[in-house]
Every structure is written in C-alpha cells, then in structure tokens.
C-alpha cells in the first residue's frame, strides 16, 4: 500500500460514513418488509390454503364447498359421459334411472360434509354460550371480593367450563405476558367467534375503559347471555313439533306413493295390457300405461320434496336453512332407497 492510498483512506470524510449507514439500514428494512409480506401471503388466501388445506376447509363450514362442489360436479359429469359412451347416445335418459343415481350421490357429496361441519359448529357454539354466564358471574363475584380482574381471570382459569376452558386459559396467559385486559378480552371474544360472545365482550371492555363498576357490568353480561341462551332453547323446543310435522309429512307422502304404485298403477297397467290385447284400446277404452315413467316421475317428486322440506325444517327449527341440510340429506337418501329397492 502506497503513501497515496494511505492518504486517501485516511482522508475519507465522516459524511460518507454517515451516508452509507442509513443506506444499509434501509436495505435491511426493505428485506424484512419483503419477508413479512411473504409470510403474510402464506397465512392468507391461496397461500394459507396451500400451506394448511385441512385447517382452511374446516375453519368455517361453508369452506368445505371448495372441495365438495367440484367433486359432486365431476361425479355427475363423469357418470353422464360413462352412460353416453356405454349406450351410444342419450337413450339412457328414457330407459334407465342410472343417471338419477349419479345425481343423487352428487348432491349428497355436495351437502353432507357441509351439514356435518355445520352440526359440529353448532354444538361448539352452544357449549360455549352455555358456559359464558357462569364465567362472567364468577368473575363478578371475585371482583367484588377485592381482586383485580387479571387476578380473577387467573383464578377462574383453574376451574372447568367445558369447551370454554381453553379460551379462558389463553386469556390468562396473554394477560400474564403483559397484554392489557381490554385488548386480551377482545382477543378472547374473537377466538370464540360467536355473536353473543362479541356483544358481551364489547360491553365489558367499554365499561372497563370508562372506569365504571365492572362487577355490575359482568353480572349484566351474565344475565344477558343466560336469557339469550334460554330464549334460543325455548324457541328450539317450541319449533320442534313443526320439524316433526315436516318429517312425518314426507313419510306420509312416500307411503301414499308406494300404495299408489303397488296397487292402483299396477292394476291399471294390467287392465291396459288386457285392453290392448283385446283391441279395446283402439276404440278409446284404455291405452297402455308405462309404470316406469310414473315411478320415475314420483321418485323425482319425492326427492325434490325431501330436499326442500329439509331446508324448510332447518329454517323453522333453527332459523337457518343451512341447518336443514342434515334433514335434506336424510330424506333424499330415504327417497332414493325407497324407489331404488322397494318400489
């Protein structure tokens, strides 16, 4: 190294050093931001579905339609193509009920997973909301005894509240890590994911911010949730008779069709064949009756009635037509089995 290099190195200004430091920090910040964006994309939308498909599909009951609807569509289209190739045309539409079988199973594939996940979600929500009044009431009692809310939550977390217990312990852990009571309470309500919990948590959080008597607010929230749960249960009990009426009406409809096909139509078909053989049909007495067409027509009517009656039962019984998909699947399957094997 020559004298000139040493002179130039020693003559570097402090301004140049200070300029390079912000540039380096800005580059590091840009890199961190890019990595955060990549991580956010993995946790949202398509990225989340690719990383955790089962979690996304079961996160909400409606999400299962992402898979069930395409599968149902592929089954029906595949069955149609198979029948078209095997029969050499569309004559199978009038001579066999195989396409009806494919259609029934396609509908079942589409709605049964949704019905099961919705039923599971309703059990979860019901258990959570049944435990909320006791949780709020216990918090109010401990707060009245002089405990702070974080201390009361810590003690309550050791009790048993069914499916609500893990959420309470998570609330206690967050508060022990230094998260404020209001913020932790909002996270608690969000994790429960029910409208009743959101309303109660919002009421308690706002009362705590305002500095009022939180014990009274907790008692009011406990009373409110208890009354709402009781009203829901009372409504379900009162509407149960109408759900039963819908199910019985469908059973009566199937019974009437079975009697009609097995006795009246069979007799008419026999009489029509005899009339055709004797030449009386040519004189306008009676034509030939195709029982296959009538059976297929009745089977379509029974399946449609079973499917939509189930939706009506769900709307009447629980106030949500999606809740009636379990009845729709059950009655649709019963109608298919009845006409496929017994009529």
């Amino acid at each position: 190294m020559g004298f000139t290099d040493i002179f130039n190195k020693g003559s570097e200004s402090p301004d140049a050093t200070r300029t390079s430091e912000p540039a380096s920090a800005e580059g590091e910040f840009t890199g961190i931001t890019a990595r955060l964006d990549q991580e956010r994309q993995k946790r949202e939308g398509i990225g989340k579905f690719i990383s955790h498909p089962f979690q996304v599909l079961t996160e909400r009951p409606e999400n299962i339609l992402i898979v069930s609807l395409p599968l149902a569509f592929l089954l029906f289209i595949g069955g149609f193509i198979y029948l078209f190739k095997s029969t050499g045309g569309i004559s199978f539409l009038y001579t066999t009920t195989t396409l009806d079988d494919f259609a029934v199973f396609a509908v079942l594939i589409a709605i049964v997973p949704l019905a099961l996940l919705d039923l599971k979600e309703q059990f979860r929500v019901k258990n959570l909301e049944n435990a909320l009044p006791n949780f709020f009431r216990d918090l109010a009692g401990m707060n009245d005894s002089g405990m702070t809310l974080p201390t009361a939550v810590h003690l309550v977390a050791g009790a048993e509240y069914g499916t609500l217990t893990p959420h309470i312990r998570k609330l206690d852990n967050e508060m022990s890590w230094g998260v404020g009571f209001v913020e932790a309470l909002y996270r608690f309500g969000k994790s429960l994911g029910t409208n009743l919990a959101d309303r109660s948590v919002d009421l308690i959080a706002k009362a705590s911010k305002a500095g009022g008597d939180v014990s009274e607010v907790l008692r009011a929230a406990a009373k409110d949730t208890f009354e709402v749960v009781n009203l829901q249960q009372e409504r379900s009990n009162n509407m149960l008779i109408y759900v039963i009426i819908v199910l019985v009406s469908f059973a009566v409809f199937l019974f009437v069709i079975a009697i009609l096909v097995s006795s009246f139509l069979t007799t008419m078909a026999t009489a029509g064949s005899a009339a055709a053989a004797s030449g009386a049909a040519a004189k306008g007495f009676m034509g030939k009756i195709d029982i296959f067409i009538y059976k297929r027509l009745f089977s379509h009517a029974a399946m449609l009635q079973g499917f939509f009656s189930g939706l009506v039962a769900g709307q009447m019984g629980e106030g949500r037509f999606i809740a009636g998909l379990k009845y729709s699947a059950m009655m649709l399957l019963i109608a298919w089995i009845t006409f496929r094997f017994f009529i």
Side-chain angles (χ1 to χ4, degrees):
M1 181 181 295
F3 177 76
T4 304
D5 296 334
I6 296 174
F7 178 77
N8 291 335
K9 182 178 180 182
S11 63
E12 288 181 357
S13 63
D15 294 337
T17 304
R18 287 194 296 267
T19 304
S20 62
E21 290 178 355
S24 176
E26 184 178 354
E28 292 179 359
F29 179 77
T30 304
I32 293 173
T33 304
R35 288 195 293 271
L36 288 175
D37 290 338
Q38 292 177 357
E39 186 65 24
R40 190 179 297 110
Q41 290 176 359
K42 291 180 180 179
R43 300 188 178 205
E44 298 176 356
I46 299 178
K48 182 179 179 180
F49 180 75
I50 295 175
S51 303
H52 308 284
F54 183 76
Q55 179 184 352
V56 173
L57 292 176
T58 57
E59 191 174 24
R60 296 177 56 191
E62 296 82 2
N63 291 355
I64 197 64
L65 294 176
I66 299 173
V67 173
S68 63
L69 283 180
L71 285 178
F73 181 76
L74 289 176
L75 175 65
F76 181 74
I77 296 300
F80 184 88
I81 294 174
Y82 168 77
L83 292 174
F84 183 84
K85 289 183 177 180
S86 61
T87 58
I90 61 172
S91 59
F92 64 89
L93 293 175
Y94 312 102
T95 58
T96 179
T97 60
T98 307
L99 186 64
D100 298 346
D101 300 340
F102 281 109
V104 168
F105 282 104
V107 173
L108 290 176
I109 288 175
I111 67 174
V112 168
L114 177 58
L116 293 177
L117 288 178
D118 181 74
L119 184 62
K120 179 183 176 182
E121 176 66 12
Q122 291 310 305
F123 276 129
R124 184 190 75 87
V125 170
K126 183 179 180 180
N127 291 332
L128 288 176
E129 292 182 347
N130 286 338
L132 275 177
N134 294 331
F135 170 60
F136 292 145
R137 195 178 298 113
D138 292 344
L139 277 184
M142 292 183 180
N143 188 248
D144 280 341
S145 65
M147 295 182 185
T148 61
L149 285 175
T151 305
V153 171
H154 179 70
L155 291 177
V156 168
E160 183 60 38
Y161 294 91
T163 55
L164 188 62
T165 303
H167 300 278
I168 298 175
R169 292 174 180 170
K170 182 180 178 182
L171 172 65
D172 177 45
N173 291 334
E174 289 182 349
M175 295 177 66
S176 66
W177 294 336
V179 180
F181 173 73
V182 174
E183 182 180 354
L185 194 62
Y186 274 122
R187 293 182 183 181
F188 170 75
K190 185 177 180 181
S191 67
L192 296 182
T194 67
N195 294 330
L196 183 59
D198 289 340
R199 185 174 67 179
S200 301
V201 163
D202 188 57
L203 175 65
I204 298 170
K206 288 181 178 178
S208 179
K209 285 181 180 179
D213 189 353
V214 181
S215 298
E216 290 298 325
V217 177
L218 286 169
R219 286 195 182 86
K223 183 179 179 181
D224 177 67
T225 53
F226 181 76
E227 289 179 352
V228 170
V229 170
N230 277 350
L231 286 174
Q232 290 175 349
Q233 185 63 40
E234 184 179 354
R235 179 187 185 279
S236 178
N237 293 336
N238 292 335
M239 298 303 294
L240 179 61
I241 183 62
Y242 298 102
V243 175
I244 295 176
I245 289 174
V246 171
L247 299 178
V248 171
S249 300
F250 173 73
V252 170
F253 179 75
L254 279 184
F255 178 76
V256 171
I257 289 179
I259 296 299
L260 185 64
V261 172
S262 61
S263 59
F264 179 73
L265 286 181
T266 303
T267 303
M268 294 293 290
T270 303
S273 300
S278 63
K283 300 178 182 179
F285 174 71
M286 183 180 293
K288 185 178 180 182
I289 295 179
D290 191 347
I291 297 183
F292 173 78
I293 294 179
Y294 282 97
K295 284 184 178 181
R296 196 172 187 187
L297 179 64
F298 286 143
S299 69
H300 291 173
M303 292 174 189
L304 289 174
Q305 181 182 358
F307 180 82
F308 289 105
S309 294
L311 298 183
V312 172
Q315 184 67 36
M316 294 174 63
E318 302 181 36
R320 301 177 305 109
F321 75 91
I322 294 181
L325 288 177
K326 54 183 177 289
Y327 303 117
S328 296
M330 179 181 65
M331 290 190 283
L332 178 62
L333 185 60
I334 290 174
W336 177 78
I337 292 175
T338 301
F339 281 92
R340 188 70 174 82
F341 299 104
F342 300 104
I343 297 181

